Amino acid sequence: MTDPLTTLSETRVFGGWLKRVRHRSAAVDCDMTFAVFLPPQAASADRLPVFYWLSGLTCTDENFTQKAGAFRAAAELGLVIVAPDTSPRGEGVPGDPDGSWDFGLGAGFYVDATEEPWARHYRMHDYVTRELPALVEANFPVGDRRSIAGHSMGGHGALVCALKHPGFYKAVSAFAPIVNPAAVPWGEKAFGRYLGPDRDRWLEWDACALIGQAPERLPILIDQGDRDGFLEVQLRPQALVAAAEAAGHPLTLRLQSGYDHSYFFISTFIEDHLRHHAAALAG
């Protein structure tokens, strides 16, 4: 690794290594931590494909690495996994003045904020799509075969990243994503503060709006539990299904019976997603 990275921990798992790394981010103007899983093939391969995972509200990089159960399949498939934090953090980074959990620290919504006091630090889209991949590709045996996935707020982030950057990712998928944040309470709260009152600007960060103008028809895979407590008010996956159908964009929505919003749900189907991504990355 080069000097800008500090390794916080290294853990052996399924023949590979899980590392937690800290670095100074120019994009969000603070120290950031991310996790990277290097499969056994990293010991001898020059450039492996990489799967980026974006977590949801309140999470850090550790939620996915500790709960998703992704490493056995990733080791078999030769996939590097990179899991960033969900927001900037640290001294001087503003949080929600009301202390709520769905905005501010742990809730960056993967947008580039334009409003004060958020604009200086809350530029998570720039971080995820530009700074982080460049850092990973310069310091690990990773090439430019990238894919992206996420959960809830992170599912929203993954969809938006893929739709706004045609050709950058080979695959995209999501678990219980917020597909229409401009029209649901979580998104209205976050977008109103990060982006300001002009709702037309919110649509630049809304998958339902972006899918109709996407120049690339990258197939989308979504898993959604039918016992998810956020399904009807916050998630509304059928809105994206309708937008995709209108645009002729390939999308598969799998409604999973009995599953909720938790990492029990994610861990049940994460191997399906990893194999979906691996096939696209190999092609």
Side-chain angles (χ1 to χ4, degrees), residues 133-151:
L135 196 66
V136 168
E137 290 164 24
N139 288 274
F140 299 99
V142 167
D144 60 0
R145 290 177 294 155
R146 312 173 197 93
S147 69
I148 193 164
H151 172 228

Side-chain angles (χ1 to χ4, degrees), residues 27-159:
V28 297
D29 195 22
C30 66
D31 288 346
M32 290 292 284
T33 298
F34 66 90
V36 55
F37 170 70
L38 301 173
Q41 296 87 337
S44 56
D46 289 331
R47 289 288 180 258
L48 292 173
V50 58
F51 169 90
Y52 287 88
W53 173 267
L54 305 184
S55 290
L57 290 164
T58 76
C59 291
T60 68
D61 59 288
E62 293 186 292
N63 293 78
F64 180 80
T65 59
Q66 294 179 6
K67 298 178 181 179
F71 300 133
R72 182 189 61 78
E76 174 194 334
L77 296 166
L79 285 179
V80 173
I81 296 176
V82 174
D85 202 346
T86 55
S87 79
R89 299 181 194 267
E91 185 176 354
V93 177
D96 190 328
D98 301 324
S100 63
W101 56 271
D102 57 357
F103 180 81
L105 301 180
F109 269 84
Y110 304 102
V111 301
D112 289 340
T114 56
E115 303 300 300
E116 297 300 336
W118 322 108
R120 175 181 170 185
H121 295 289
Y122 285 83
R123 299 187 58 80
M124 287 298 295
H125 181 81
D126 185 34
Y127 176 72
V128 166
T129 61
R130 182 187 59 82
E131 186 176 33
L132 183 61
L135 196 66
V136 168
E137 290 164 24
N139 288 274
F140 299 99
V142 167
D144 60 0
R145 290 177 294 155
R146 312 173 197 93
S147 69
I148 193 164
H151 172 228
S152 194
M153 176 187 73
H156 141 72
L159 294 171

Side-chain angles (χ1 to χ4, degrees), residues 227-252:
R227 298 184 74 175
D228 188 324
F230 301 115
L231 177 58
E232 298 300 328
V233 174
Q234 304 283 9
L235 306 179
R236 302 180 184 176
Q238 293 299 338
L240 187 62
V241 171
E245 289 177 350
H249 196 114
L251 184 150
T252 300

